[in-house]
Amino acid sequence: MLLETYHAKGLLTVTLVNGQTGTAGVYAYRGDLVIKEGALREGSATDRKPPEALLIHSALIVENDTIKFINGLLPTLDLLPVFVEKYKADIAADCTALIYVENIGKGMQVELEGVAYKLLPFKEGLVWNELLEELYIEKSELKNQSAEDKVAIAYAAAKSYNPKTPVVSFAEAEENTIEVIKEAAVGAI
């Protein structure tokens, strides 16, 4: 199974959900997905340093060992082609992809390797909550559902999601990046 393979390779981190949905053969994952592995530690063939890049707070639906739904947060747009290159063999041609990107100022769509990636600007908050709001999914719709089926509900809603954002080339998308300024937060001492 694809998610088991990813787990064995150390590509799944901070896992919140990883299991079969109510539909046989359909699996859901929520957590961080590694885009760039950390370097191997000195003298080790398997022990790695922390990942260099992640698809943060990702949500995936996997069916027939292909990724049918991708959601998550990229800190920078330039990681999108790196993600696509790493996972393109596993991404279904009809994959629904809604990706939040911190350094874009407006929504847009980019096609890479035959898949349309709907890119959404992200300021702050929880990616999952932002996704539910974007797809107009009420909390009552998720009540009494398993964690895996909640991801499946989001996928079902995302399939009909059609933002009125322009389809641009990746080069044009790169021209629309912005500088992200994060405020320093002070927590409990």
Side-chain angles (χ1 to χ4, degrees):
M1 186 180 90
L2 190 61
L3 291 172
E4 289 173 357
T5 302
Y6 288 175
H7 180 72
K9 290 180 179 179
L11 299 176
L12 307 178
T13 65
V14 193
T15 301
L16 302 172
V17 175
N18 188 0
Q20 185 169 290
T21 66
T23 305
V26 179
Y27 298 86
Y29 172 79
R30 276 187 59 208
D32 292 349
L33 185 64
V34 174
I35 298 173
K36 290 183 190 175
E37 290 102 334
L40 289 170
R41 295 191 191 276
E42 194 172 317
S44 175
T46 57
D47 187 25
R48 292 192 175 275
K49 294 180 180 176
E52 293 179 24
L54 298 166
L55 180 62
I56 303 164
H57 301 225
S58 66
L60 304 176
I61 288 289
V62 175
E63 184 177 354
N64 298 323
D65 274 346
T66 60
I67 300 170
K68 301 288 279 184
F69 174 63
I70 304 167
N71 171 248
L73 171 65
L74 291 174
T76 57
L77 182 63
D78 63 347
L79 287 171
L80 181 61
V82 179
F83 167 80
V84 172
E85 182 62 31
K86 184 169 193 69
Y87 293 100
K88 68 182 176 186
D90 301 328
I91 298 173
D94 62 344
C95 179
T96 301
L98 281 83
I99 307 292
Y100 287 96
V101 184
E102 280 190 76
N103 73 333
I104 61 172
K106 62 181 183 178
M108 59 189 109
Q109 299 178 59
V110 173
E111 187 174 308
L112 295 172
E113 298 290 335
V115 174
Y117 290 85
K118 296 168 182 149
L119 307 177
L120 305 160
F122 185 82
K123 300 292 182 235
E124 61 184 18
L126 295 173
V127 174
W128 180 249
N129 291 346
E130 292 294 316
L131 176 67
L132 296 179
E133 190 174 310
E134 188 71 30
L135 298 175
Y136 300 106
I137 297 174
E138 298 293 329
K139 295 214 186 264
S140 61
E141 294 175 62
L142 303 177
K143 193 171 184 167
N144 300 324
Q145 299 293 328
S146 70
E148 293 81 7
D149 285 333
K150 289 176 184 178
V151 179
I153 289 167
Y155 167 51
K159 286 193 280 188
S160 62
Y161 176 73
N162 192 15
K164 296 187 179 5
T165 55
V167 177
V168 298
S169 69
F170 187 76
E172 288 175 276
E174 287 182 305
E175 291 172 9
N176 287 300
T177 58
I178 59 171
E179 184 179 341
V180 176
I181 299 170
K182 295 193 179 198
E183 295 179 23
V186 178
I189 296 176

